[in-house]
Amino acid sequence: MTQIFYLLSITALIVSFFKSKEKTMLALKKAWKSFENIMPQFLAIIFIIGIMLSILTPDQISQFLGSESGWIGVIIAAVIGSITLIPGFVAFPLAAALLKSGAGYMQIAAFVSTLMMVGIVTIPVEIKYFGKRATIIRNVLAFIFSLIVAALMGVLI
Amino acid sequence: MEKLKILIKRYRLFIVMLIINSVILMINPSLGAKSFSITWQNTLEMLAVIPPIFILLGLLDVWVKREVMIKYMGDDSGLIGILIAFFLGSAAAGPLYAAFPVAGVLLKKGSRLSNVFIFLGAWSTTKIPLLLFEASAMGTRFMLIRLILDLFGILIIAYATEKLLSQSQKEEIYLAAQEQI
């Protein structure tokens, strides 16, 4: 997918360049400016993720999420999912492994859903663009929604 | 000197995290080293994924006229706006925090707030490559049920968030978007 994006952006750049050199240079300038704009937060976030993932290992996570853990397990899963930030291609094999080692579907659904929708660590970046109120509303709603997803998944799977 | 001060101020959280990690490294070398190595890997990954997103963002800002964005994603864009928002988010690559600057450009160009939240929701959960990955790791049934639930969830969250904001709060968001790029 990343390759497709490179291909797409390079093609777009070339087309843009032939249409207008000035506009293309302006676009690159803006690209750099907005990248530089959130660079401090990006770097801090990446460090927080690194520290968190080194302390919180998959083994530890699976201890909390057994299928007998019930709603407490779901809440714990949702909280872990909200504060951690794991790329999808790591998260799904992890979730599959957790399922195999005895975690329940409800707990895993809560974990996967909050992992993707709720971002405690990225809240500073979100606030920068959407302000405090919108950010808090979005994350709280996403958290509640993830619990609903977990409940439904528990019934449907 | 003044510039350096501003730079340090902007990067202060990063500097604090760097110091914390270094302290961990001294107290518990294996934990600290592990953390540094995860951070390094994630940094490389970020640097690999992010450049095309920002280049496209820059081109979008320069080439797409405000009137066009308002027509297709603005207040009266209706179903088209919703579909475009879903498509843009689902076709994306990269972590959610890379979506915020793109969302900033959409706002700046006059996209409706709920559509921007739909875009964010799609980026976070219905990315196509990720769905394929989810299906192979968790099974197609798990992926499909979650996808269908998420489609509703994204819409509900988007409209509820928009509704819960006052007019002045919305205006502030649009104003902030003007300054971001």
Side-chain angles (χ1 to χ4, degrees):
Chain A
M1 201 62 191
T2 306
Q3 288 95 317
I4 299 174
F5 264 73
Y6 269 95
L7 210 66
L8 196 70
S9 61
I10 290 168
T11 314
L13 262 186
I14 293 170
V15 173
S16 167
F17 190 80
F18 276 110
K19 277 185 130 178
S20 162
K21 205 175 149 187
E22 292 77 36
K23 276 193 160 185
T24 309
M25 294 318 283
L26 185 63
L28 285 175
K29 232 188 229 166
K30 289 188 174 212
W32 173 252
K33 200 187 146 200
S34 46
F35 177 64
E36 212 272 330
N37 190 18
I38 49 168
M39 197 59 185
Q41 277 94 343
F42 271 10
L43 288 175
I45 287 169
I46 286 175
F47 251 108
I48 295 170
I49 297 168
I51 294 172
M52 214 142 58
L53 286 187
S54 63
I55 296 170
L56 205 68
T57 62
D59 292 341
Q60 281 174 319
I61 297 177
S62 68
Q63 279 175 9
F64 296 117
L65 309 182
S67 45
E68 316 78 40
S69 59
W71 274 100
I72 295 179
V74 171
I75 303 273
I76 293 172
V79 170
I80 295 175
S82 301
I83 49 179
T84 47
L85 222 170
I86 311 172
F89 58 88
V90 181
F92 284 119
L94 170 65
L98 292 178
L99 266 183
K100 269 200 192 111
S101 62
Y105 268 106
M106 270 171 75
Q107 290 80 8
I108 291 301
F111 172 67
V112 168
S113 189
T114 52
L115 191 62
M116 297 180 150
M117 295 186 119
V118 186
I120 302 278
V121 183
T122 52
I123 275 182
V125 183
E126 195 168 344
I127 287 179
K128 212 168 144 120
Y129 286 90
F130 288 99
K132 264 190 196 137
R133 189 172 157 87
T135 300
I136 291 168
I137 293 174
R138 194 195 71 80
N139 280 285
V140 169
L141 289 179
F143 187 86
I144 296 168
F145 172 72
S146 298
L147 296 180
I148 297 171
V149 167
L152 290 173
M153 293 291 268
V155 179
L156 292 170
I157 282 215
Chain B
M1 200 57 214
E2 202 52 39
K3 264 189 173 171
L4 187 72
K5 248 188 187 163
I6 294 170
L7 207 65
I8 290 175
K9 196 167 172 233
R10 286 191 61 215
Y11 282 86
R12 61 178 184 271
L13 187 58
F14 165 67
I15 296 166
V16 169
M17 294 315 297
L18 190 67
I19 293 168
I20 291 176
N21 209 335
S22 306
V23 172
I24 295 175
L25 188 69
M26 277 184 272
I27 299 169
N28 185 339
S30 72
L31 191 71
K34 197 175 153 199
S35 166
F36 264 116
S37 115
I38 294 172
T39 302
W40 178 241
Q41 279 166 15
N42 279 340
T43 308
L44 291 182
E45 200 196 301
M46 178 188 93
L47 291 178
V49 174
I50 272 173
I53 297 175
F54 279 88
I55 288 175
L56 289 172
L57 173 160
L59 290 171
L60 183 80
D61 193 42
V62 169
W63 285 107
V64 177
K65 288 201 183 76
R66 199 177 148 80
E67 305 84 70
V68 175
M69 182 70 85
I70 289 175
K71 187 179 168 203
Y72 288 106
M73 290 186 81
D75 280 336
D76 304 314
S77 59
L79 189 63
I80 300 271
I82 296 171
L83 291 177
I84 293 176
F86 263 116
F87 173 76
L88 282 179
S90 300
L96 183 62
Y97 52 85
F100 295 123
V102 184
V105 177
L106 296 181
L107 286 170
K108 183 186 167 195
K109 292 275 173 179
S111 178
R112 184 177 166 176
L113 201 52
S114 63
N115 285 340
V116 178
F117 286 127
I118 291 171
F119 163 78
L120 278 185
W123 185 306
S124 68
T125 51
T126 63
K127 273 185 294 205
I128 294 155
L130 212 60
L131 290 177
L132 299 176
F133 207 77
E134 180 176 356
S136 70
M138 310 295 291
T140 313
R141 199 179 148 83
F142 185 94
M143 182 275 273
L144 279 179
I145 293 177
R146 217 178 60 81
L147 173 63
I148 293 165
L149 293 175
D150 279 347
L151 291 180
F152 288 108
I154 289 167
L155 288 173
I156 294 167
I157 292 172
Y159 287 109
T161 312
E162 192 188 59
K163 272 269 178 309
L164 290 169
L165 293 172
S166 70
Q167 197 55 39
S168 67
Q169 283 161 338
K170 284 182 201 166
E171 273 159 22
E172 260 172 50
I173 292 173
Y174 281 105
L175 211 64
Q178 300 297 330
E179 291 159 9
Q180 292 296 346
I181 189 168

